[in-house]
Amino acid sequence: MKTKTWDLRHQLGTKQGQKALEEISTIYHAGGLVALPTETVYGLGANAQDNEAVRKIYEAKGRPSDNPLIVHIHDQSQLDAFTAPRSKEVKLLMDTFWPGPISFILPLEPGYLCERVSGGLQSIAVRMPSHPIGRAILEYTDLPIAAPSANISGRPSPTTFAHVFRDLNERVEGIVNGDQSEEGLESTVLDCTQYPFRIARPGAITADMIENILPGSVDLTAHLDTDKPIAPGMKYKHYSPETPVAMLTELNHEISSDQDWQHTLFAVPATLKQYIPKNAIYRELSSDSYDLKAANHNLYQILHELDTDDSIHQGYIYRYKTTDDSIAFLNRLEKATGNQQIGADQL
Ligand code: TXA
Ligand code: MG
C-alpha cells in the first residue's frame, strides 16, 4: 500500500490545508487508516463506527484485539450517541481538563460504535485532544475516531512524524505531520465506571490535579502501580527499545571517564550533566530534576533514538524521585527498562 503523507504544520487555514482535511476525511469515511498528531502521542485513527476499519488498526499495529481502543471526539455532544448521561462529577472533570491529555472510561451504550472498538467490554474510553491539527481533523471529519498510539505493538509510542513513518509506512493509507507531540506520554486513563474513580494509566493529568478540582474523587489506593515493588523481568517490558537501557539512580558524583563510554547514552537533567563521563553521549532530559514536563516530552524521543542510532549500544536514563508529577514518567521508564536500576556508584 502506498502511504500518503501531509505536512500540516504551517497549513491550517490555507487552501492546501483545506484540501488535506478533505482528503483525510474522505479516507476515514471510506474505512481507511490515517495516523494523526495529538498532544500526547500520535494516534492511528479509523472510523469507530466501522468494524472493518477498526480491524485494520489491530492488523496494522499487530495488537491483540482484546485490548480496547480510545475513541477521540471534538465535541462533548458526540458522547450522547454512545454513553449514558454523564454524572456531574464526570462533566466537571471533562469541562476542566478537556481538550487535553486525559481519557475517561464510561459505561457504553451499545449500537452506535462498532463492536470491535470496545474489545467486547461494556465500557468505552473517550478523549478530546487539544492538538490544533488533530482537532481540525476530528472536527472536519465529524466521526468518532478510534485511535491507539500509532506504533507497532511492543515498541515505544511515537511522538514525531518520523517515528510513525518508520513503523507504519506502507501499512496505512495516510500519516499527518503535526510536529513533535507537546506532552510526549500517552493520556491519563481515568476509569469512571465506579466511584471514587480509578487511574487506570497515569499521565500528564495527575491524581493531585483531579483531587484539587474534585476532592475525594480518586481512589488513591488503586493508582499507585509504580510504587509497588516490581521485580525486574520481561513481563514488564512493554514500551521497550531493543538496545539495553536501565534507570540511573544516585547520580551525585562524577562517573569516571576511564572506561570507553563512546557508545553509551546518558539522558539526565542538565543540572547533573557535570557528573556524566566526558566521553559518553549526553542527552538533556530536562532543565533540572523537578522539570517533569520536559522529561515526559523527551522520553520517547530518546527511547526511539536508542534503537535508530547504531552507534548507541547502551542507555542510562535518570530516575527522578517519586512524586505526583513523576508517576507517569516512572511508569513508562519502568516498563522500558524492565525496572532495571543501577546506581551511578556502580558504574
Ligand atoms: O494519549 C493517548 O491516550 C493516545 C492518543 C493517540 O490519544 N492513545 C493511546 O491509545 O494511548 P492506546 O490504545 O495505545 O492505549 C489505550 C489504553 C490501553 O491501555 C487500553 O487497555 C485502555 O486504554 N483502555 C481503553 N478502553 C478501555 C476500557 N473500556 N476499559 C479499560 N481500559 C481501557
Ligand atoms: Mg499504545
Side-chain angles (χ1 to χ4, degrees):
M1 175 189 311
K2 175 110 182 73
T3 298
K4 188 164 171 73
T5 64
W6 301 266
D7 185 351
L8 287 184
R9 283 176 296 177
H10 309 290
Q11 288 199 342
L12 282 188
T14 68
K15 225 171 137 183
Q16 235 178 337
Q18 197 64 15
K19 185 163 165 274
L21 291 178
E22 278 167 34
E23 289 170 358
I24 294 160
S25 166
T26 302
I27 294 173
Y28 282 140
H29 281 272
L33 308 185
V34 179
L36 76 170
T38 88
E39 73 281 17
T40 56
V41 300
Y42 277 69
L44 177 57
N47 177 3
Q49 296 187 281
D50 183 335
N51 226 20
E52 175 56 18
V54 172
R55 187 192 65 75
K56 288 198 272 176
I57 291 183
Y58 288 107
E59 184 181 67
K61 278 180 65 79
R63 169 170 171 141
S65 59
D66 57 353
N67 196 357
L69 305 180
I70 296 174
V71 172
H72 296 68
I73 58 171
H74 63 89
D75 193 299
Q76 282 189 43
S77 66
Q78 289 173 279
L79 296 175
D80 300 340
F82 59 94
T83 66
R86 271 91 63 208
S87 67
K88 64 177 193 314
E89 288 82 7
V90 167
K91 183 94 180 57
L92 175 62
L93 296 182
M94 285 182 178
D95 289 343
T96 306
F97 297 116
W98 271 1
I102 181 167
S103 302
F104 297 87
I105 299 177
L106 304 174
L108 172 66
E109 303 258 299
Y112 182 77
L113 301 178
C114 70
E115 275 171 20
R116 262 201 188 92
V117 74
S118 53
L121 298 175
Q122 314 287 310
S123 60
I124 188 78
V126 292
R127 184 163 93 83
M128 188 190 295
S130 65
H131 193 295
I133 296 170
R135 268 176 81 73
I137 292 170
L138 292 171
E139 254 178 65
Y140 193 93
T141 305
D142 200 24
L143 287 172
I145 296 290
S149 49
N151 54 296
I152 304 264
S153 234
R155 297 175 55 82
S157 291
T159 53
T160 67
F161 172 82
H163 299 158
V164 182
F165 192 81
R166 185 157 69 94
D167 272 14
L168 296 179
N169 184 33
E170 298 190 345
R171 298 170 80 101
V172 301
E173 276 76 11
I175 305 174
V176 179
N177 189 347
D179 228 335
Q180 184 164 1
S181 298
E182 185 63 30
E183 299 288 349
L185 297 184
E186 304 85 346
S187 62
T188 304
V189 176
L190 189 68
D191 182 350
C192 301
T193 60
Q194 50 185 303
Y195 198 86
F197 306 141
R198 300 163 69 130
I199 293 186
R201 178 176 71 185
I205 306 297
T206 66
D208 283 2
M209 290 162 74
I210 298 169
E211 284 278 308
N212 278 339
I213 301 297
L214 199 57
S217 65
V218 181
D219 179 351
L220 294 169
T221 60
H223 83 288
L224 291 174
D225 181 15
T226 48
D227 271 359
K228 280 189 228 142
I230 298 171
M234 286 304 292
K235 86 180 167 156
Y236 295 103
K237 284 200 159 207
H238 289 286
Y239 303 89
S240 174
E242 280 144 32
T243 303
V245 57
M247 294 184 242
L248 185 62
T249 63
E250 310 301 325
L251 184 56
N252 48 26
H253 63 278
E254 194 173 332
I255 300 169
S256 160
S257 296
D258 290 350
Q259 274 192 57
D260 174 7
W261 291 111
Q262 60 168 320
H263 298 293
T264 305
L265 179 147
F266 287 83
V268 307
T271 43
L272 304 179
K273 182 183 177 191
Q274 53 183 316
Y275 300 137
I276 297 309
K278 304 289 170 281
N279 48 349
I281 306 162
Y282 162 74
R283 288 289 173 274
E284 180 176 318
L285 198 46
S286 60
S287 54
D288 62 37
S289 47
Y290 304 97
D291 184 6
L292 267 297
K293 191 153 173 60
N296 290 350
H297 175 78
N298 291 325
L299 178 63
Y300 285 157
Q301 169 65 27
I302 290 166
L303 294 183
H304 278 274
E305 190 183 354
L306 288 173
D307 275 350
T308 49
D309 186 336
D310 291 341
S311 69
I312 304 172
H313 299 172
Q314 167 87 54
Y316 294 105
I317 300 181
Y318 183 69
R319 190 198 187 286
Y320 293 79
K321 287 203 171 55
T322 306
T323 62
D324 179 66
D325 275 349
S326 67
I327 281 176
F329 178 92
L330 294 176
N331 170 267
R332 307 315 193 273
L333 187 59
E334 282 169 7
K335 287 175 175 173
T337 60
N339 205 27
Q340 301 285 338
Q341 303 202 15
I342 186 147
D345 41 7
Q346 293 167 266
L347 291 176

